Amino acid sequence: MHVSVSSSPTPSPAAATSTPAAGFAATAALRAGAAPTQAELFDFVRRAAADAGLIASLPLDPEGRTWVRLDGPGGSEAWLIGWPPGTGTGWHDHAESVGAFITASGELKENSLAVRLPTDGWKTLELTEGVDRSRRLPAGQGRAFGRHHVHEVLNESQDRHAISVHAYYPPLPQIRRYSRSGPLLRLEQVERPEDWQ
């Protein structure tokens, strides 16, 4: 149950197993029939990250990321992810999904763009100065984000795994992957759930 970061920088539903998050979905205080908000997704990942038994249950691999699918609130897609030292996702977004993630152990770094990109009709963009954001997320720290949030997540430690919890709603309709060279951002690939089967 692992994958090389270079071949699949975000979890693939086909490679994961489903495990309930110790009743977190059942206890999420969601409005009847409403989609979970960013705040509700963040509350879910925060509570899941505080469950020491859940975090300890994730098998870790020294070379590739590992993951377990969780039952997220309100029909969301949720993941418990293990990050070996020196691994990361590469630049990507989650299209129309909103999301949240939090570091449960170790430390992650998120690099992101503080600009909304056009959703279609481009292959290469030149970014202006001042759009880059970077934040360190030690255990207990995380963030929620809106649609089309472009970022990369990294474990820069040379000797320690990191573990995080992520949730997205709606379940990931697609993931757009980018390459970055200085100010140039290039759309490399668009993946859809059927690509992960």
Side-chain angles (χ1 to χ4, degrees):
M1 189 166 71
H2 76 278
V3 68
S4 166
V5 171
S6 62
S7 65
S8 184
T10 53
S12 162
T17 60
S18 179
T19 300
F24 290 117
T27 60
L30 296 176
R31 295 158 281 119
T37 65
Q38 291 176 42
E40 289 165 336
L41 293 174
F42 188 76
D43 182 59
F44 168 81
V45 298
R46 181 187 52 76
R47 288 183 293 116
D51 182 336
L54 177 66
I55 301 309
S57 73
L58 180 67
L60 299 177
D61 184 289
E63 296 179 13
R65 289 191 304 150
T66 54
W67 53 81
V68 173
R69 188 159 186 173
L70 306 175
D71 293 326
S76 63
E77 181 172 341
W79 300 91
L80 177 63
I81 302 176
W83 307 73
T87 59
T89 62
W91 288 94
H92 67 282
D93 72 17
H94 306 104
E96 295 294 327
S97 296
V98 299
F101 72 99
I102 194 167
T103 305
S105 71
E107 180 177 276
L108 294 172
K109 179 182 180 185
E110 182 199 35
N111 296 320
S112 63
L113 300 178
V115 62
R116 184 168 175 147
L117 302 179
T119 56
D120 294 306
W122 66 277
K123 191 72 171 168
T124 303
L125 290 176
E126 184 169 350
L127 303 170
T128 60
E129 288 187 34
V131 299
D132 286 292
R133 300 291 182 266
S134 181
R135 66 179 75 198
R136 296 211 169 270
L137 301 168
Q141 298 291 311
R143 67 164 305 169
F145 54 86
R147 292 170 173 80
H148 309 289
H149 176 69
V150 178
H151 69 165
E152 66 174 349
V153 180
L154 310 162
N155 177 7
E156 294 185 322
S157 173
Q158 296 305 304
D159 58 4
R160 186 169 180 207
H161 267 79
I163 298 176
S164 58
V165 182
H166 303 245
Y168 310 98
Y169 188 86
L172 297 175
Q174 66 181 20
I175 295 173
R176 289 183 289 240
R177 300 193 188 281
Y178 306 96
S179 61
R180 175 109 189 250
S181 178
L184 295 180
L185 186 72
R186 181 175 178 81
L187 176 64
E188 297 290 346
Q189 183 177 6
V190 177
E191 294 181 3
R192 291 178 173 79
E194 56 268 21
D195 299 326
W196 308 324
Q197 302 303 320

